[in-house]
Amino acid sequence: MKTLRIGQLGCGIVGSAVLRLLDHNSYDIAQRVGANLDVAKIAVRTLSKERDIPGGMTSHLTTDPHEVVTDPAVDIVVEVMGGIEPTRALLLEAIDNGKHIVTANKELLASLGAELFDAAEAKGVDLYFEAAVAGGIPLIRPLRESLAGERIRKVMGIVNGTTNFILTRMSEEGCSFAEALGEAERLGYTELDPTADIEGFDPAAKAAILASLAFNTRVVSGDVYREGIADITAQDIAFAKRLGYTVKLLAIAEQQDGEIAVRVHPAMIPNEHPLASVRDNLNAVFVEGESVGELMFYGRGAGGGPTGTSVVGDIIDIARNMLSGGRGPGMYTYADSPIRNIEAMYSQYYILLDVADQPGVLAAVASAFGGNNVSIRSVWQEGTGDQAQLVMITHRALERDLQATLGALRDLPEVTKITSVMRVEGGET
Ligand SMILES: NC(=O)c1ccc[n+]([C@@H]2O[C@H](COP(=O)([O-])OP(=O)(O)OC[C@H]3O[C@@H](n4cnc5c(N)ncnc54)[C@H](OP(=O)(O)O)[C@@H]3O)[C@@H](O)[C@H]2O)c1
């Protein structure tokens, strides 16, 4: 049986899981591929670190990543070290040396992916990245292959486990954002610096990759409108519940009037929507296609085992391509659709206003909405006197019109404070 050789950049949470899987399932993998997959070199930062990897592999460790990407014996380079540089330069070097690539690096792909995909195309090598979005959930392959004949309308998902855990705790235990974040930290669900999760940078990178795939257009992280979850209050969650909604941090990519609208923000979704029941640190992505209808992909979006499984699946695909002399699908960006500015995007909105409890308030508020083309779907008053609040849900409206409405509301003497504004998704289209 032929032997194909793997060189790996990184041996941390994901990298060590990949090595364990390759070792543990080596017989089945060899039978399914028709070749043995051998790990030849593994680059790390620190040789002395203790690692949970198969004993025989320790001798392949090196602190020189160039050894991995230049070794003539290496056929496939697996990049699980993360970061932008030197990772980008190393992958370009690997491609230049004719190596096929598997990467889990969403940050790199969503910022400088075009350079890598172009280089891989020019060199005729494969570049696979199933693990870069939603860890263990097969999503890239279904979008690139199973749905290649479909016209996708919308991709909407929960693609960050940490923030989903925090929102689940806030919803189920009624605790504050800070308390829920503290619990996530205690359980080891957060990065050392949780900013990328909390502020939505991590899901924005994933949204860019998903939008590029779904709409065959180059979308980078910087194109994605982004809001995090730090301002969500226990009161927002409580009102959402009473209205029959659940608050989630959503990554959304959709076609709006021939343009690509891509964004990450917290949103209220109806409790009956399949994404509403995705709890704790689980991920799920909801795909709407013109012919296929609605699909949902659900599972573990992070962790060594789940993410490693996606990486190994990619290695196997590439190995099969190598044996058959073929290539896998590329990153097709022929559509080159315009990216829509947030001002021109449509959504429904939930708005919570502190108001004076006096006659004529509702009429004044309604005219601020009507005068700016935002139509109110439902409204009711909470409390009385100093505590009076108006809770409103709009029909689908343009963001720019909503912002103009908020400006008009701020000018009204009857409105003491705009306490909260949140988008509502998964309802009207
Ligand atoms: N963790 C997840 O659940 C998950 C899920 C999906 C995608 N990903 C992506 O997978 C990638 C890896 O994540 P991870 O969680 O496995 O990271 P990690 O645990 O921090 O591992 C990183 C590995 O890369 C090595 N490394 C870093 N810089 C290096 C350099 N300059 N030269 C040589 N080796 C270097 C480190 O070496 P030392 O061990 O010596 O420090 C370590 O082994 C990232 O792109 C991440 O976004 C991770």
Side-chain angles (χ1 to χ4, degrees):
M1 203 183 251
K2 202 174 166 161
T3 297
L4 299 175
R5 293 199 167 74
I6 296 163
Q8 188 163 291
L9 298 169
C11 185
I13 295 171
V14 179
S16 57
V18 169
L19 299 179
R20 290 194 297 275
L21 281 164
L22 286 171
D23 181 65
H24 189 251
N25 300 333
S26 62
Y27 174 77
D28 292 305
I29 292 172
Q31 298 307 308
R32 290 168 191 166
V33 172
N36 290 306
L37 300 183
D38 210 24
V39 178
K41 279 202 168 67
I42 309 156
V44 293
R45 255 182 317 217
T46 320
L47 277 182
S48 55
K49 217 182 214 177
E50 202 159 305
R51 299 173 198 279
D52 180 13
I53 59 174
M57 292 194 186
T58 318
S59 59
H60 303 319
L61 293 173
T62 169
T63 51
D64 181 3
H66 289 277
E67 270 187 38
V68 174
V69 298
T70 55
D71 185 340
V74 166
D75 301 294
I76 304 169
V77 168
V78 174
E79 187 274 298
V80 279
M81 72 184 221
I84 303 291
E85 291 293 0
T87 320
R88 171 192 148 275
L90 287 165
L91 289 184
L92 287 173
E93 196 179 346
I95 291 168
D96 199 42
N97 288 325
K99 320 287 185 209
H100 301 281
I101 308 290
V102 177
T103 177
N105 194 332
K106 70 217 123 192
E107 193 192 358
L108 178 59
L109 289 182
S111 52
L112 301 167
E115 190 182 12
L116 295 169
F117 286 111
D118 287 351
E121 195 61 40
K123 198 72 187 181
V125 297
D126 279 334
L127 198 171
Y128 276 62
F129 52 99
E130 184 63 69
V133 181
I137 307 174
L139 187 59
I140 305 301
R141 196 167 280 103
L143 282 173
R144 277 216 289 195
E145 299 180 31
S146 323
L147 297 171
E150 173 62 314
R151 210 174 264 255
I152 292 170
R153 288 199 178 124
K154 185 170 185 173
V155 179
M156 178 161 89
I158 296 166
V159 291
N160 182 272
T162 306
T163 46
N164 201 47
F165 175 84
I166 292 171
L167 292 172
T168 305
R169 282 293 160 275
M170 288 177 75
S171 173
E172 293 181 1
E173 284 159 25
C175 57
S176 69
F177 168 76
E179 288 165 337
L181 174 60
E183 192 182 343
E185 281 169 339
R186 272 194 302 284
L187 291 169
Y189 289 163
T190 50
E191 299 285 331
L192 224 50
D193 174 5
T195 314
D197 295 331
I198 303 304
E199 298 297 329
F201 290 100
D202 170 86
K206 294 165 180 169
I209 296 171
L210 290 177
S212 303
L213 275 174
F215 304 116
N216 302 109
T217 291
R218 267 184 185 149
V219 182
V220 297
S221 294
D223 293 326
V224 182
Y225 174 79
R226 181 187 51 75
E227 283 175 25
I229 63 162
D231 294 333
I232 305 281
T233 63
Q235 189 184 37
D236 292 329
I237 305 253
F239 273 126
K241 264 189 177 173
R242 284 177 49 190
L243 288 160
Y245 291 94
T246 304
V247 176
K248 295 290 183 192
L249 182 65
L250 297 180
I252 304 169
E254 65 184 325
Q255 297 259 24
Q256 287 185 354
D257 311 323
E259 295 185 340
I260 310 302
V262 52
R263 57 200 194 272
V264 167
H265 53 66
M268 293 179 12
I269 48 174
N271 285 340
E272 58 275 15
H273 193 284
L275 287 175
S277 50
V278 177
R279 297 176 59 253
D280 289 338
N281 57 355
L282 284 149
N283 283 197
V285 177
F286 190 77
V287 178
E288 281 175 44
E290 210 170 86
S291 306
V292 76
E294 298 173 343
L295 301 167
M296 189 152 104
F297 302 86
Y298 170 84
R300 301 233 161 256
T307 312
T309 306
S310 288
V311 170
V312 173
D314 280 354
I315 296 171
I316 290 174
D317 250 14
I318 291 177
R320 287 175 175 150
N321 294 342
M322 286 179 69
L323 293 177
S324 67
R327 268 188 77 205
M331 189 69 163
Y332 308 107
T333 53
Y334 58 89
D336 207 17
S337 306
I339 312 290
R340 180 160 272 209
N341 189 285
I342 184 68
E343 293 276 291
M345 291 188 204
Y346 290 93
S347 186
Q348 280 184 268
Y349 298 86
Y350 147 89
I351 298 153
L352 180 64
L353 302 176
D354 287 5
V355 292
D357 191 10
Q358 63 191 45
V361 170
L362 204 52
V365 166
S367 90
F369 279 82
N372 288 291
N373 305 315
V374 179
S375 138
I376 298 168
R377 183 168 183 247
S378 63
V379 58
W380 86 92
Q381 181 176 330
E382 277 289 313
T384 52
D386 286 351
Q387 312 286 314
Q389 289 186 306
L390 286 183
V391 187
M392 328 191 61
I393 303 271
T394 72
H395 284 293
R396 236 163 114 79
L398 260 182
E399 172 82 18
R400 116 166 31 94
D401 290 339
L402 192 275
Q403 292 303 331
T405 305
L406 296 178
L409 289 170
R410 273 184 211 106
D411 290 342
L412 285 179
E414 295 88 345
V415 175
T416 348
K417 192 175 166 206
I418 300 173
T419 304
S420 189
V421 179
M422 203 187 303
R423 293 174 183 79
V424 178
E425 294 289 340
E428 291 178 3
T429 51

